[in-house]
Amino acid sequence: RAGARLVVVDPRRTDLASMAELHLPIRPGTDIAFANALVNIIISRGWADERFIAERTEGFEALRGIVAGYEPEKVARLCHIPVADLYRTAEIYARAERAPIIYCLGVTEHTSGTQNVMALSNLAMVVGKYGRPGCGINPLRGQNNVQGACDMGCEPHNLPGYQRYDAPGVMEKFERVWGRALPRETGLRATQVFGAAAEGRVRGLFIFGEDPIVTDPNTAHVRAGLEALDLLVVDELFMTPTAELADVVLPGSAYVEKEGTFSNTERRVQRVRKAVDAPGDARLDTWIFAELMRRMGYPETLDTAADIMDEIALVDPDFGGISHARLDAGESLQWPCPSKDHPGTPILHVGAFKRGRGYFYPTEYQEPDEAPDEDYPILMSTGRMLYHYNNGAMTHRTEGLERLASQSYIQLNETDAHALGIAQGDRVRVSSRRGAIETQAWVGDRVGEGEAFMTFHFAEGNPNVVANDATDPLCFIPEFKVCAVRVAKTADAPVPGHLSGLHEPALL
């Protein structure tokens, strides 16, 4: 609206795409080929930042050799986009004084998700768009404190501050502060837990603020893992489908009922202040954790969110200068903030990368884990809609939002729908190699031919029943964005419900 040039790369024609100067509806799963073709064009047209490459990076010649094989004409056919749009995108991005790359789960939820991100990093480095205002690689987080959860070590190989457990001196530092010897083995990723539970390698699970029965792929696999546990404890606000399977449900508290911080996508640590009392027997999550620790034999003494933040500052160098006192005094702090007199760091990688030189990662296109075939000819992606949040545990209880959108749907291309005898609003059966669901058809031109899209906010007609649970081998995120399905009209009449009234659902 202020005059910026916007390019949207998205398989679907979203509301944001309608605002863009250029929309490239690339075929799901072709991100690396797309990025490599842009680098190919930038190098061949002389738009690369040769000084930046020479002074601040390594591995460029190897990448140059790789992208030479990604001729724009060939990649355009693979991505199902006009080759002219590839050239135009490369020019807009490369020649802009400032241009950020902003991405979300459409890039990461693939078996090549880590490689996809590295391909975008290559693209930014080749034109020197790091360490400057309005540049860089910027992941938009799906929830309001995903960044903060990662910062606090919610990964099996990291401790708070992205400190690897096997780095010299790291474990010893935490052991001094916590007064206990810590295990040296790497734990499981979240997506690995359910298979381990089904095999008997995980016997108990404590889940808080998560509903994997609704949000994780291959629902039958998740349910089998949860039902095999000896003990399942769920700390929740509502009786979700996952909580219904629990042996013990602990009543947690919502964000407006507690003190603390959220860290947003630009690493800004934001104070959250209590607005209302928790209802009934609900307890602070921190109280629940501390009480469990005490009953299991650890003398936990941290009582307040401010106390916990002060301990974080002791063990995490990036948070060394952040405290509730500074935030409450009105300071706006972005980590790294290593000392109490440090102003915070608005932009990363200024002058140098954390690792020294930026590494051009040799990314190569790879096919998704599952491709359409004669039995399952449609490529389906899953994602969000504007009106609902994650598993819908909160938003389904919001009357106004339920009036706008109260049931599952599948977006189909009008050409495919006509060939299948499916009309707007028909009940359809969506099947994959993992199961089948029924939902409502939304027919139009939002998705390309041979493609489909579903949201996962509804327990009934949830695409995660049919979604592929194959994962990226490095970060183990599931391939939500590519799944081969078959769609057929059912004999059932449409189920009463709202699909945004007479209007198409607004999609993120």
Side-chain angles (χ1 to χ4, degrees):
R1 289 173 179 164
R5 304 180 73 180
L6 175 64
V7 176
V8 172
V9 183
D10 195 311
R12 296 177 293 129
R13 185 174 58 81
T14 63
D15 292 347
L16 184 65
S18 67
M19 300 169 60
E21 176 179 336
L22 187 61
H23 171 219
L24 288 81
I26 68 171
R27 185 167 177 80
T30 61
D31 305 80
I32 291 174
F34 172 78
N36 282 358
L38 293 181
V39 175
N40 175 304
I41 295 169
I42 288 168
I43 293 172
S44 65
R45 292 294 174 95
W47 295 330
D49 188 332
E50 295 182 1
R51 180 176 178 181
F52 183 93
I53 293 168
E55 294 179 354
R56 294 194 53 184
T57 71
E58 61 184 3
F60 176 68
E61 290 305 320
L63 182 71
R64 185 204 295 268
I66 288 173
V67 301
Y70 289 81
E71 297 91 351
E73 291 73 16
K74 180 176 70 175
V75 171
R77 290 192 295 273
L78 175 68
C79 294
H80 295 184
I81 57 175
V83 68
D85 288 350
L86 263 179
Y87 281 96
R88 189 172 165 201
T89 299
E91 182 173 9
I92 290 172
Y93 178 65
R95 303 186 72 176
E97 179 183 351
R98 295 184 303 275
I101 294 175
I102 300 173
Y103 73 89
C104 197
L105 300 178
V107 166
T108 55
E109 289 182 341
H110 295 271
T111 50
S112 60
T114 303
Q115 304 263 14
N116 291 352
V117 174
M118 298 309 296
L120 294 180
S121 178
N122 293 340
L123 176 60
M125 281 202 299
V126 82
V127 291
K129 287 185 169 59
Y130 263 116
R132 298 195 283 117
C135 294
I137 305 294
N138 306 273
L140 288 184
R141 303 306 198 173
Q143 278 78 251
N144 53 343
N145 202 29
V146 168
Q147 183 68 53
C150 295
D151 297 345
M152 292 302 103
C154 289
E155 300 170 300
H157 61 289
N158 283 336
L159 286 157
Y162 306 93
Q163 299 173 88
R164 289 191 61 89
Y165 77 99
D166 54 358
V170 168
M171 294 295 268
E172 290 78 7
K173 175 176 62 176
F174 282 88
E175 288 173 336
R176 285 194 300 270
V177 174
W178 290 341
R180 289 291 187 277
L182 300 177
R184 261 48 179 187
E185 304 85 30
T186 303
L188 299 175
R189 302 279 184 160
T191 49
Q192 296 175 298
V193 167
F194 305 111
E199 296 167 4
R201 293 186 289 117
V202 170
R203 306 293 293 278
L205 197 57
F206 181 2
I207 298 176
F208 63 99
E210 196 70 31
D211 186 11
I213 285 287
V214 174
T215 61
D216 280 36
N218 194 351
T219 304
H221 169 73
V222 174
R223 181 179 293 275
L226 293 177
E227 291 179 343
L229 294 167
D230 293 339
L231 175 66
L232 174 60
V233 180
V234 173
D235 172 0
E236 256 295 358
L237 306 180
F238 304 104
M239 189 60 74
T240 65
T242 299
E244 290 174 354
L245 298 178
D247 300 290
V248 179
V249 178
L250 300 174
S253 54
Y255 76 99
V256 292
E257 298 161 1
K258 53 193 172 186
E259 299 282 329
T261 63
F262 291 151
S263 295
N264 71 5
T265 196
E266 59 173 355
R267 298 166 287 103
R268 191 181 304 280
V269 181
Q270 303 168 304
R271 272 286 273 127
V272 176
R273 296 174 177 86
K274 179 180 175 181
V276 297
D277 291 330
D281 292 328
R283 295 287 187 271
L284 296 176
D285 300 311
T286 49
W287 182 91
I288 291 172
F289 301 155
E291 187 63 17
L292 283 172
M293 292 162 73
R294 285 188 284 265
R295 295 190 185 199
M296 294 169 69
Y298 182 82
E300 180 56 71
T301 58
L302 299 178
D303 291 325
T304 69
D307 294 337
I308 295 170
M309 182 62 81
D310 290 342
E311 185 185 86
I312 292 167
L314 290 176
V315 296
D316 182 351
D318 288 338
F319 279 71
I322 300 178
S323 65
H324 279 207
R326 290 187 70 181
L327 297 174
D328 288 343
E331 292 192 67
S332 182
L333 301 174
Q334 294 166 267
W335 65 260
C337 180
S339 63
K340 293 181 180 179
D341 59 353
H342 194 282
T345 308
I347 303 173
L348 294 178
H349 312 306
V350 176
F353 291 97
K354 186 174 182 179
R355 71 182 297 275
R357 286 181 171 267
Y359 176 51
F360 281 105
Y361 195 96
T363 55
E364 290 273 20
Y365 168 71
Q366 61 189 64
E367 292 279 351
D369 178 76
E370 187 173 79
D373 57 20
E374 290 185 4
D375 294 326
Y376 301 99
I378 293 179
L379 189 158
M380 186 182 78
S381 293
T382 67
R384 307 162 192 266
M385 70 186 315
L386 178 62
Y387 303 120
H388 287 291
Y389 176 77
N390 211 33
N391 66 335
M394 294 181 286
T395 52
H396 288 320
R397 291 172 167 82
T398 306
E399 182 180 346
L401 297 179
E402 280 293 279
R403 282 202 303 268
L404 290 168
S406 63
Q407 68 180 74
S408 167
Y409 64 91
I410 183 170
Q411 284 189 326
L412 296 171
N413 183 272
E414 53 200 1
T415 300
D416 296 326
H418 178 75
L420 295 168
I422 296 171
Q424 172 74 5
D426 281 349
R427 292 291 293 176
V428 295
R429 181 177 177 86
V430 182
S431 309
S432 76
R433 294 174 177 86
R434 289 154 294 279
I437 57 171
E438 289 194 5
T439 187
Q440 184 177 7
W442 190 274
V443 178
D445 62 354
R446 289 274 187 167
V447 296
E449 291 184 32
E451 299 174 15
F453 172 80
M454 290 191 71
T455 62
F456 59 86
H457 308 297
F458 304 92
E460 297 296 326
N462 187 345
N464 283 328
V465 172
V466 302
N468 191 1
D469 57 350
T471 60
D472 179 300
L474 295 175
C475 69
F476 295 92
I477 192 169
E479 191 158 60
F480 286 106
K481 301 307 180 191
V482 180
C483 167
V485 300
R486 178 173 61 246
V487 182
K489 182 178 179 180
T490 72
D492 298 333
V495 174
H498 296 285
L499 196 60
S500 194
L502 299 176
H503 305 286
E504 188 165 9
L507 300 168
L508 295 180

